[in-house]
Amino acid sequence: MLNVAYVGALYHPKGLKTLYYLTNDFTVPVNWFIFGWITDHYKQYQCDNAFVYGPYRTTCELYDLLDYYNIDIVIMPNECPESFSYVLSEIWEYKIPVLGTDRGSVCSRIEQTGCGWICNPSKMGEKLKWLNDNPDEIDTVINRLYDYDVTSIEKMHTDYKNLYAKLIHDS
């Protein structure tokens, strides 16, 4: 059975409802872990079938959690597009594949690298079942991660700073 983690701030735009439905669907054969800050709305959408750690303080602490709980993949069920995703970089730096939604930078970065899987939030349960039945697919993506040079957060900052400076200069 797969060990699947959600990492980061958990609230509606980040996929709270999708995660609630997935963790409470006992036909999805995974062990669930939630590492990160959780909104007060979580009380309304309690994920009873998940181990909830709560906020982590450092990337090193996150990596210890991923290692200790033997996390196979991280799920990013965001409902709103993101512009970069620090969490995606942190997870890929640790060489863990990501199942993300078909929107925003998570989608485009997974498409560009092949270091995960993309699907509509409504299809994530089916994809997790498929991944549980096809562990070789996870190993294939992990091998891609070892060959991929993850865009660092520092490089992303520099790229955006240069882009914004160019936009301001050109206007």
Side-chain angles (χ1 to χ4, degrees), residues 5-9 14 35 56 62-63 66 74-76 82 84-94 96 98 106 109 150 153:
Y6 176 89
V7 175
K14 297 287 191 165
F35 307 128
Y56 53 91
L62 171 62
Y63 291 166
L66 296 170
V74 168
I75 189 169
M76 298 183 80
E82 295 189 42
F84 177 74
S85 181
Y86 293 117
V87 170
L88 183 61
S89 293
E90 290 173 335
I91 297 305
W92 279 355
E93 191 67 40
Y94 201 65
I96 294 181
V98 170
V106 171
R109 290 177 72 192
V150 179
I153 292 169

Side-chain angles (χ1 to χ4, degrees), residues 23-96:
T23 60
N24 287 295
D25 179 355
F26 291 92
T27 66
V28 178
V30 301
N31 297 312
W32 291 101
F33 300 85
I34 300 174
F35 307 128
W37 176 83
I38 300 170
T39 181
D40 290 337
H41 288 105
Y42 175 78
K43 294 176 182 129
Q44 179 184 358
Y45 296 102
Q46 192 105 34
C47 302
D48 294 327
N49 192 32
F51 170 77
V52 178
Y53 180 81
Y56 53 91
R57 290 177 294 278
T58 65
T59 303
C60 289
E61 182 181 357
L62 171 62
Y63 291 166
D64 287 345
L65 291 166
L66 296 170
D67 190 49
Y68 182 79
Y69 291 103
N70 197 30
I71 300 302
D72 298 301
I73 66 170
V74 168
I75 189 169
M76 298 183 80
N78 58 305
E79 296 174 20
C80 295
E82 295 189 42
S83 60
F84 177 74
S85 181
Y86 293 117
V87 170
L88 183 61
S89 293
E90 290 173 335
I91 297 305
W92 279 355
E93 191 67 40
Y94 201 65
K95 309 303 182 204
I96 294 181

Side-chain angles (χ1 to χ4, degrees), residues 84-85 88-89 92 105-113 151:
F84 177 74
S85 181
L88 183 61
S89 293
W92 279 355
S105 68
V106 171
C107 175
S108 61
R109 290 177 72 192
I110 291 172
E111 283 177 340
Q112 290 169 359
T113 64
T151 301

Side-chain angles (χ1 to χ4, degrees), residues 111-127:
E111 283 177 340
Q112 290 169 359
T113 64
C115 293
W117 308 271
I118 304 164
C119 65
N120 187 279
S122 66
K123 302 291 184 189
M124 287 191 147
E126 294 171 31
K127 191 64 164 185

